[in-house]
Every structure is written in C-alpha cells, then in structure tokens.
Amino acid sequence: THASAVDRSSSIDPTDEPDVLLVSEGAEPFLWEQIAASLDAVEEQEVRRVVGESIIGACEDIYAEVRALRLIAFEATEATDEVTSR
C-alpha cells in the first residue's frame, strides 16, 4: 500500500498505479521512475519481474513517503516564514 500521509493539495495521489506516480513539480524523478519512463510496457513488465515486484513496491512506498515529508517540510517552512514576517 502507498503512504496515506499525502496532503490533499499535493499533485501526488497515493492511490495511483505505481507506474503513473507523479513527480512533484521541480523534483527529480526517483530511480525506478526514471527507469520505467525509459522502457516500453513489455520491457517494464520484464524488468519488474527480474527486479521483483516486492522491491519495486517497497521503493514506490518510500517515494510516496519522501514526497509527503517534502510537502510537510515545505508547508512548515511557508508557515514559519509567514509568522516571522509579521
């Protein structure tokens, strides 16, 4: 399962299929996303089989968590900046 701590305002939907996870604006895609983007559908399925669905799924879960944490950090920074600029 994907992370459930993703903010509603984020462009990332944790329920998306793993191969269509969106990369937040301005962020570099993670390694598996770069690999998957360079493969056609048949090749991707073969690579998934060789690497292992469980490993890829775990990485995608981690990607979702990292993105959620980035969003939380960004929002906390914005809120802090707003409070300190008053």
Side-chain angles (χ1 to χ4, degrees):
T1 63
H2 292 284
S4 60
V6 177
D7 187 287
R8 306 178 279 297
S9 65
S10 170
S11 63
I12 302 164
D13 182 352
T15 62
D16 280 346
E17 288 299 315
D19 59 337
V20 294
L21 282 174
L22 299 175
V23 177
S24 53
E25 192 172 317
E28 290 292 318
F30 290 105
L31 180 58
W32 171 250
E33 295 163 338
Q34 293 175 30
I35 293 168
S38 70
L39 302 171
D40 66 36
V42 173
E43 290 173 323
E44 182 181 341
Q45 290 308 311
E46 180 64 13
V47 172
R48 282 179 172 275
R49 186 188 66 73
V50 171
V51 172
E53 287 289 339
S54 62
I55 291 172
I56 293 170
C59 288
E60 291 167 338
D61 291 344
I62 292 168
Y63 300 162
E65 289 291 334
V66 168
R67 288 187 174 114
L69 291 171
R70 282 181 179 166
L71 181 61
I72 290 167
F74 176 77
E75 290 174 346
T77 300
E78 280 188 328
T80 301
D81 290 348
E82 184 178 318
V83 168
T84 58
S85 67
R86 293 183 193 173

